């Protein structure tokens, strides 16, 4: 069994004065939702996600050795311009991961980051952003320790990303990623995301995700606050058990290719996530009227046409429309004809399953 201590390095065999690195990491969309966490970013229940392809963060890391090694030193640029309000989050991340990356105080870093999707579009950028940063730091560590294996490199990158943002650990590697201990999934762990290790039917190989931007405002409730509300939640224990059950169901659905059953699990998970927020104290409704309009329109369209399109939601108002590639034309036409009217400024993003972080 892995423990966090396995990621504490003993010594480095090389030295490096300065350099530049660049990685892109994608966003991901959970099918079985993680909601609620324990100390040290450990999930209260396992989750599984599709890695996206087009919605990603691209981060450049420049580093140079510095004289004073008493503290962290970094500049943060967003789209080339200084971004002070992101800095506390990065500072906190560096403090959390320092024990696993003891070289961090030896360098001054310039972190230059940008997203391929509109900022504050209501798409979570913390997953892609923290994953891209973790990949860069791991690339630097690999230069300090060239004998590092690829398996260790990706496991530790996912482990570090998780300490920045829980779901970021699912943005490192793989098309379908499991995070959290699950008895029937070999290799699954709370410490990092793993590629789903079993058969995935052709039906799910090139799944499409069109993201309808219903509300591009700031999140009504931060993820951290939302997760904390699960601590004394009256339905928490049953919810955590349900996530395990649904992950087992999806494991057999992925093998059989049963899209009807896939739709039931995925939509139920999305609505359960929102039900947990509506029944917490304090309580929140994160859907907007247009979110419900879209959901009802999808149900009506599916009933009338038998085209296997479904929805999922993050902890917000935007709707992810999921469907197999072979019905793309019909679904996109339906989105144009009936759903765009419910999007803020008519905006939506076409995405699909991708394969994880890429060195640039």
């Amino acid at each position: 069994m892995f423990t966090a201590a396995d990621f504490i390095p003993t010594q480095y065999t090389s030295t490096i004065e300065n350099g530049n690195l660049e990685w892109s990491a994608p966003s991901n969309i959970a099918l079985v939702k993680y909601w609620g966490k324990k100390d040290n970013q450990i999930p209260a229940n396992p989750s599984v996600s599709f890695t996206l392809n087009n919605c990603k963060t691209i981060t450049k890391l420049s580093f140079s050795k510095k004289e004073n090694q008493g503290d962290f030193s970094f500049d943060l640029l967003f789209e080339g311009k200084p971004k002070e309000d992101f800095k506390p989050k990065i500072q906190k991340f560096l403090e959390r991961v320092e024990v696993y990356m003891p070289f961090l105080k030896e360098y001054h870093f310039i972190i230059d980051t940008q997203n391929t999707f509109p900022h504050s579009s209501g798409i979570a950028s913390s997953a892609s952003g923290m994953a891209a940063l973790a990949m860069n730091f791991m690339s630097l560590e690999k230069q300090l320790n060239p004998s590092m294996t690829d398996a260790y490199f990706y496991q530790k990158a996912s482990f570090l990303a998780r300490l920045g943002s829980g779901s970021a650990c699912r943005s490192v590697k793989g098309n379908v990623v499991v995070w959290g201990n699950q008895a029937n999934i070999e290799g699954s762990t709370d410490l990092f995301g793993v590629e789903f290790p079993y058969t995935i039917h052709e039906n799910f190989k090139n799944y499409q995700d069109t993201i309808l931007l219903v509300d591009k405002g700031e999140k009504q409730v931060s993820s951290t606050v939302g997760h904390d509300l699960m601590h004394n939640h009256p339905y928490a224990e049953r919810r955590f058990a349900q996530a395990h059950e649904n992950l087992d169901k999806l494991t057999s659905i992925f093998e059989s290719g049963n899209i009807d059953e896939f739709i039931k699990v995925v939509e139920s998970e999305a609505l359960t996530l929102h039900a947990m927020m509506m029944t917490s104290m304090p309580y929140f409704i994160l859907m907007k009227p247009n979110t419900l309009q879209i959901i009802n329109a999808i149900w009506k369209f599916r009933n009338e046409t038998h085209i296997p399109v479904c929805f999922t939601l993050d902890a917000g108002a935007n709707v992810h429309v999921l469907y197999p590639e072979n019905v793309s034309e019909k679904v996109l036409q339906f989105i144009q004809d009936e759903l765009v009217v419910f999007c803020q400024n008519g905006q939506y993003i076409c995405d699909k399953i991708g394969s994880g972080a890429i060195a640039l």
Side-chain angles (χ1 to χ4, degrees):
M1 269 302 284
F2 265 96
T3 68
D6 293 324
F7 294 119
I8 298 175
T10 43
Q11 63 189 74
Y12 295 123
T13 52
S14 298
T15 55
I16 182 163
E17 289 299 311
N18 52 60
N20 297 286
L21 299 160
E22 186 173 13
W23 280 83
S24 77
S27 198
N28 66 75
I29 181 66
L31 306 171
V32 170
K33 308 293 183 183
Y34 126 77
W35 199 245
K37 59 187 171 189
K38 305 170 194 173
D39 290 344
N40 300 322
Q41 298 282 93
I42 297 294
N45 66 264
S47 56
V48 63
S49 59
F50 280 157
T51 307
L52 295 181
N53 188 68
N54 305 336
C55 289
K56 56 193 173 192
T57 298
I58 299 161
T59 299
K60 291 179 188 165
L61 184 75
S62 308
F63 57 93
S64 51
K65 268 273 168 68
K66 61 188 174 80
E67 292 291 310
N68 164 23
Q69 302 188 356
D71 214 346
F72 300 115
S73 169
F74 66 95
D75 295 316
L76 186 69
L77 307 174
F78 181 68
E79 295 178 346
K81 299 188 185 82
K83 187 81 175 162
E84 290 303 311
D85 52 341
F86 280 12
K87 284 188 86 167
K89 194 163 187 180
I90 304 295
Q91 177 74 22
K92 191 175 178 184
F93 175 63
L94 296 175
E95 288 165 7
R96 276 184 182 165
V97 303
E98 186 195 5
V99 61
Y100 308 106
M101 302 202 121
F103 60 83
L104 289 173
K105 284 182 178 166
E106 295 172 21
Y107 295 93
H108 174 74
F109 297 104
I110 299 170
I111 301 163
D112 189 352
T113 188
Q114 58 175 322
N115 296 329
T116 60
F117 46 91
H119 181 56
S120 76
S121 59
I123 294 179
S125 58
S126 57
S128 53
M130 285 300 177
L133 188 56
M135 299 311 293
N136 278 298
F137 283 140
M138 280 310 297
S139 289
L140 172 50
E141 184 168 86
K142 192 164 168 61
Q143 291 181 19
L144 298 170
N145 179 17
S147 64
M148 182 187 294
T149 66
D150 270 4
Y152 180 88
F153 175 88
Y154 281 104
Q155 285 168 349
K156 183 165 176 179
S158 177
F159 170 84
L160 295 170
R162 189 197 94 233
L163 293 172
S165 166
S167 55
C169 74
R170 299 190 309 241
S171 283
V172 167
K173 201 175 196 309
N175 318 98
V176 179
V177 180
V178 176
W179 169 38
N181 278 326
Q182 175 76 350
N184 298 340
I185 297 182
E186 202 179 328
S188 62
T189 168
D190 289 341
L191 296 180
F192 48 84
V194 299
E195 291 182 81
F196 182 77
Y198 306 125
T199 308
I200 294 179
H201 193 280
E202 285 303 313
N203 286 350
F204 301 113
K205 281 286 167 69
N206 200 12
Y207 235 67
Q208 307 290 302
D209 178 6
T210 299
I211 305 154
L212 307 181
L213 304 179
V214 171
D215 181 46
K216 305 192 326 185
E218 281 302 301
K219 280 208 288 196
Q220 209 180 321
V221 54
S222 80
S223 298
T224 306
V225 171
H227 286 292
D228 284 349
L229 292 173
M230 291 298 281
H231 286 309
N232 301 309
H233 199 295
Y235 309 132
E237 289 313 311
R238 183 66 198 98
R239 161 59 202 152
F240 300 147
Q242 180 195 41
H244 286 276
E245 292 156 15
N246 281 339
L247 188 45
D248 277 344
K249 281 182 192 166
L250 269 185
T251 300
S252 56
I253 287 166
F254 281 144
E255 188 175 12
S256 69
N258 188 329
I259 294 181
D260 290 340
E261 289 303 311
F262 174 82
I263 288 171
K264 283 181 199 165
V265 171
V266 168
E267 290 190 342
S268 158
E269 274 285 318
L271 294 174
T272 301
L273 171 69
H274 283 257
M276 297 314 283
M277 280 179 273
M278 288 186 205
T279 49
S280 62
M281 187 62 71
Y283 37 79
F284 297 92
I285 297 179
L286 300 187
M287 295 190 212
K288 298 285 185 205
N290 282 357
T291 310
L292 292 172
Q293 295 274 19
I294 290 167
I295 289 172
N296 281 311
I298 289 171
W299 285 344
K300 182 168 182 277
F301 176 78
R302 191 167 72 219
N303 280 335
E304 289 172 357
T305 63
H306 304 294
I307 290 170
V309 58
C310 70
F311 71 88
T312 187
L313 307 163
D314 267 336
N318 296 333
V319 182
H320 289 250
V321 184
L322 301 176
Y323 50 97
E325 189 186 27
N326 63 1
V327 296
S328 289
E329 209 174 307
K330 288 173 178 157
V331 173
L332 287 168
Q333 192 60 56
F334 159 62
I335 287 169
Q336 280 284 348
D337 294 347
E338 294 186 43
L339 303 185
V340 167
V341 62
F342 301 120
C343 299
Q344 197 170 337
N345 305 328
Q347 280 191 301
Y348 62 95
I349 296 171
C350 290
D351 213 330
K352 60 182 180 183
I353 292 191
S355 56
I358 300 166
L360 301 172

